[in-house]
Amino acid sequence: MTAEPHNFRQHPTYWFNDGSIVIRSRSMSNGEVCFKLHESLLRRQSRFVQRMLDSDSGTSADSEVLIPPELGVQVQDFTALLEHLYHDIPLSAEAPFPHVAAILRVSSPDQLDLPGVHMSARAYFVSMFPQGPQPFAHPSSHLKEALALVQSYQIPLIRKGIYYSIVTTSEFEPEDDDLDLEIFIKPSGLPGSSSTPRLILPPTDVERCRSLMTGIVEHFTPVLFTPPATPHMACTNIFADKWMSLVITPAISNSGVCKPLEMLEQIKQIDWAAEGLCDACVREKIQEWTQEQEDVWEKMDSWLVG
């Protein structure tokens, strides 16, 4: 369980004088960091700690556990876990994405294996990424990392929405110098190199994004650029007169052809009755545009195949 002693530093917060177990974690950038914690808390929560302690044949008063480097546990992730376990920064609906992501990783079965904590982190992670067919907003600065976590921990419920957000709100195509850096996101959600902050999608995800973008544009372009017909000639003429100024021009200036859910919602919010449409045609078209949002959301499954 332990290795030969060498230089290390105590964690400034999680080194308790009354602790009964020392956890040693090796950081790629900061050497080895040691935590003195309460064995009963960790044994109760972590199957990894249980296994390590049960296999220990030592007789010292304080137990010691070295987290094997091959598990990929990051010191900052383990610290986030302790912030949760000791109720300093617990998991909650208000917790920031990096905190939830760190706990999701470190509590997973392939790292420190805390089933209860992992289930909670997974639930909070999912809640951060609402899904369609109604328009939604995601934490845009973490989309690529979130996608890697979805792939790694098999969370299909939010996969489609994250792809949609990446395609509609970010630049997913790698630049030439990105290909030379080889800093694709690892399955754990961590970048391959800590020296470069910009995360790059793996080639398979780039291809899925391209496929999704192509499907969206090919499907939605005729919908967006064709004024709808109605049962009443007068209402059809109003659409013909107003569609360019109220729909097409804003869509062109706002890349609306690539954002069908948002663009359809924007069209629904126009006061068409004030423009002269009869109440029956307004109701009918809002229903049709809502159905179109549902159709786009469903078709995305086939556009993402790969």
Side-chain angles (χ1 to χ4, degrees):
M1 178 185 306
T2 62
E4 291 300 319
H6 58 280
N7 292 333
F8 66 88
R9 63 184 180 91
Q10 297 177 3
H11 191 272
T13 302
Y14 295 103
W15 182 274
F16 299 106
N17 291 331
D18 65 344
S20 55
I21 182 173
V22 173
I23 304 290
R24 297 163 51 194
S25 179
R26 289 176 182 166
S27 168
M28 295 292 292
S29 58
N30 298 319
E32 185 170 286
V33 181
C34 292
F35 305 78
K36 191 171 185 181
L37 308 167
H38 300 94
E39 180 179 327
S40 59
L41 175 64
L42 293 179
R43 179 186 282 274
R44 184 171 68 250
Q45 299 274 2
S46 170
R47 290 175 176 171
F48 165 79
V49 172
Q50 291 173 17
R51 291 192 298 269
M52 296 297 285
L53 291 176
D54 290 345
S55 65
D56 184 24
S57 58
T59 58
S60 60
D62 291 343
S63 302
E64 185 173 318
V65 171
L66 170 65
I67 299 176
E70 58 267 23
L71 291 185
V73 174
Q74 303 292 309
V75 169
Q76 62 268 28
D77 287 1
F78 185 55
T79 302
L81 174 65
L82 297 178
E83 289 171 339
H84 168 70
L85 293 178
Y86 283 96
H87 304 288
D88 296 321
I89 308 178
L91 284 168
S92 70
E94 292 74 36
F97 174 88
H99 187 65
V100 175
I103 296 174
L104 183 68
R105 282 190 295 266
V106 74
S107 66
S108 64
D110 55 342
Q111 291 200 359
L112 300 189
D113 197 3
L114 293 81
V117 174
H118 189 68
M119 185 178 299
S120 295
R122 184 184 177 105
Y124 284 116
F125 176 71
V126 168
S127 71
M128 290 182 169
F129 297 91
Q131 301 296 288
Q134 296 302 307
F136 49 81
H138 287 166
S140 58
S141 59
H142 301 291
L143 288 171
K144 294 172 183 178
E145 182 181 353
L147 180 59
L149 292 169
V150 163
Q151 311 284 39
S152 181
Y153 300 115
Q154 301 180 7
I155 311 176
L157 180 64
I158 60 176
R159 174 178 177 267
K160 180 164 60 173
I162 293 176
Y163 272 118
Y164 181 85
S165 285
I166 290 174
V167 165
T168 58
T169 67
S170 70
E171 177 54 61
F172 62 84
E173 291 284 1
E175 300 175 2
D176 291 341
D177 53 350
D178 292 333
L179 297 177
D180 295 334
L181 288 172
E182 295 184 352
I183 53 169
F184 301 124
I185 303 174
K186 293 180 178 180
S188 63
L190 294 171
S193 170
S194 60
S195 61
T196 305
R198 196 162 78 86
L199 305 184
I200 309 303
L201 288 177
T204 53
D205 284 329
V206 172
E207 285 300 320
R208 289 192 184 101
C209 287
R210 289 171 181 162
S211 176
L212 177 59
M213 176 68 83
T214 299
I216 287 174
V217 171
E218 290 181 351
H219 172 85
F220 191 53
T221 296
V223 175
L224 182 61
F225 286 90
T226 305
T230 74
H232 306 133
M233 182 58 68
C235 291
T236 299
N237 288 338
I238 290 172
F239 274 135
D241 292 339
K242 302 287 186 177
W243 198 254
M244 175 61 74
S245 61
L246 295 180
V247 176
I248 295 177
T249 299
I252 292 174
S253 64
N254 214 16
S255 301
V257 70
C258 303
K259 305 173 182 177
L261 301 183
E262 293 83 354
M263 196 64 221
L264 287 163
E265 193 66 27
Q266 184 175 325
I267 295 171
K268 287 160 59 177
Q269 297 305 317
I270 296 172
D271 190 349
W272 291 107
E275 300 296 333
L277 259 71
C278 70
D279 290 344
C281 285
V282 170
R283 289 193 299 269
E284 177 185 282
K285 291 305 163 186
I286 288 178
Q287 291 175 354
E288 289 182 6
W289 293 323
T290 300
Q291 182 60 52
E292 179 63 27
Q293 287 174 312
E294 296 174 359
D295 291 345
V296 168
W297 185 250
E298 183 176 350
K299 288 177 182 293
M300 281 173 54
D301 292 321
S302 62
W303 298 333
L304 280 170
V305 170

